[in-house]
């Protein structure tokens, strides 16, 4: 199973870099590896709260808030209130992130 996953990951990564070399990428501004990991986790967790993200990465709430606010400012994340408890915010990736992230999705669909 590990070999199968490694093979799939390698093919996805190779396809991504192949498309990058041919200029088929979306401009992505100053995103660090940690920020990209944060965005992917938000995407995979499907609308987590600030606390859920902090817990996942085992970081403090202020540290998570700092990272989230940077990504919101760059336009890759949005936040929205819970309808019942206005103190709770959920996170969601934006279309700007999805345009970048969809490069590998196109390969999977093919």
């Amino acid at each position: 199973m590990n070999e199968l996953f490694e093979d799939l990951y390698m093919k996805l990564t190779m396809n991504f870099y192949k498309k990058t070399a041919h200029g088929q990428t979306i401009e992505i501004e100053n995103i660090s590896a940690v920020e990209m990991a944060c965005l992917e986790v938000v995407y995979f967790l499907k609308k987590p709260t600030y606390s859920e993200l902090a817990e996942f990465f085992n970081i403090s709430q202020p540290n998570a808030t700092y990272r989230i606010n940077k990504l919101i400012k760059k336009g890759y994340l949005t936040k929205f209130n819970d309808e019942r408890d206005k103190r709770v915010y959920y996170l969601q990736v934006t279309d700007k992130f999805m345009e970048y992230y969809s490069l590998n999705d196109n390969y999977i669909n093919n």
Side-chain angles (χ1 to χ4, degrees):
M1 184 73 147
N2 282 345
E3 288 179 27
L4 183 61
F5 180 74
E6 286 177 18
D7 185 52
L8 175 63
Y9 181 77
M10 180 197 67
K11 287 179 180 176
L12 289 172
T13 303
M14 296 292 285
N15 179 66
F16 174 78
Y17 289 126
K18 183 178 182 179
K19 288 187 177 201
T20 300
H22 293 313
Q24 297 179 5
T25 62
I26 305 298
E27 286 291 321
I28 192 152
E29 60 189 52
N30 300 335
I31 296 292
S32 69
V34 172
E35 290 173 328
M36 184 55 73
C38 185
L39 288 168
E40 287 183 320
V41 167
V42 168
Y43 177 68
F44 293 139
L45 290 178
K46 304 205 185 308
K47 302 176 186 170
T49 63
Y50 279 55
S51 297
E52 289 170 338
L53 194 63
E55 184 179 320
F56 180 87
F57 283 112
N58 197 26
I59 59 176
S60 68
Q61 185 77 30
N63 189 347
T65 300
Y66 172 76
R67 292 178 188 197
I68 290 165
N69 287 340
K70 281 180 64 176
L71 291 167
I72 289 171
K73 187 175 181 177
K74 291 180 180 183
Y76 296 103
L77 277 183
T78 59
K79 65 180 182 179
F80 59 95
N81 281 104
D82 184 278
E83 291 180 13
R84 287 177 251 152
D85 186 349
K86 297 297 182 190
R87 298 172 295 171
V88 177
Y89 284 96
Y90 295 101
L91 301 167
Q92 186 172 0
V93 295
T94 63
D95 290 341
K96 185 176 180 180
F97 169 77
M98 290 309 299
E99 287 174 12
Y100 175 77
Y101 198 72
S102 69
L103 291 175
N104 278 336
D105 287 345
N106 291 337
Y107 177 73
I108 291 170
N109 291 335
N110 288 337

